[in-house]
Amino acid sequence: MQEAAKKLGCRFVNANADEATRRLQERFSYYKNEQGNVVITAIHTNDNPETVEIPAQIEGDKVSVLQCENIFNAPHLKIPESLHVIEAPLNYVKTLEVDPKNKFILQDGVLWYRKHGKEVGGILAEARSKSEIAVREGTEVLDSNVFGFGAWVKRLVLPASIRNLGYL
């Protein structure tokens, strides 16, 4: 029952855990998937931190997936090498710092990319000041929800490598 509740985003804080683990349990809701990796389902930012750092491990297990509905109150988000999948819009994140050893998630200050840079995953809040956005060369897929908040974009420059425009 506790595993099912965790998948729904319920928070459990183990009072017997060490201080570092309790802090992680208070900041993140998560569960362990079938592969034994941690999936973060929510980030709790009631204290309005300037930076939220996704941990590389929780309770000794690798954090590999960020699967949140949205991330509010986190102007700066740090992504570790271990994170391979982001299934969350980052529309409210102003800056994204990706560990240079991470081969799955890339960012260019305006857009963030997944799958080794082949797919645009989303747009960062700082891009709202730009009327022109250029997608990096080598990108093949533009996700269907990338520009949901992008009505302000006047010009979108796409590389010749684009093969799929999602549901645009």
Side-chain angles (χ1 to χ4, degrees):
M1 170 125 149
Q2 192 169 356
E3 284 303 311
K6 282 183 181 180
K7 287 183 180 181
L8 293 173
C10 297
R11 294 167 61 189
F12 295 93
V13 178
N14 181 351
N16 297 322
D18 63 57
E19 182 63 28
T21 301
R22 274 199 306 277
R23 278 196 304 274
L24 287 172
Q25 291 172 342
E26 290 170 358
R27 173 69 72 200
F28 304 102
S29 292
Y30 56 89
Y31 68 94
K32 192 187 296 188
N33 65 14
E34 298 80 31
Q35 293 78 32
N37 295 320
V38 174
V39 177
I40 293 178
T41 57
I43 300 172
H44 309 290
T45 58
N46 297 338
D47 57 341
N48 296 315
E50 274 300 309
T51 299
V52 171
E53 184 170 353
I54 304 298
Q57 290 188 350
I58 294 180
E59 297 180 38
D61 297 309
K62 182 173 81 167
V63 175
S64 64
V65 180
L66 180 60
Q67 189 177 52
C68 303
E69 281 192 33
N70 215 327
I71 299 170
F72 299 100
N73 299 330
H76 182 72
L77 185 64
K78 292 175 84 171
I79 303 293
E81 176 186 7
S82 65
L83 196 75
H84 293 182
V85 178
I86 296 177
E87 294 176 357
L90 302 180
N91 303 321
Y92 297 101
V93 174
K94 291 182 180 178
T95 58
L96 185 66
E97 182 180 334
V98 181
D99 184 305
K101 294 182 226 141
N102 188 316
K103 304 296 183 219
F104 298 92
I105 310 294
L106 305 169
Q107 64 88 23
D108 64 9
V110 176
L111 300 170
W112 62 272
Y113 301 82
R114 58 181 166 228
K115 296 186 180 172
H116 307 280
K118 300 276 187 201
E119 183 175 305
V120 175
I123 192 163
L124 298 171
E126 286 296 293
R128 293 183 183 147
S129 65
K130 300 186 182 308
S131 61
E132 178 176 309
I133 293 181
V135 175
R136 72 189 276 283
E137 190 60 51
T139 302
E140 297 176 357
V141 178
L142 194 62
D143 198 346
S144 59
N145 67 352
V146 169
F147 294 104
F149 288 89
W152 37 262
V153 175
K154 305 268 188 269
R155 183 168 184 234
L156 177 63
V157 180
L158 299 175
S161 56
I162 291 284
R163 295 186 312 178
N164 185 344
L165 290 176
Y167 298 105
L168 296 177

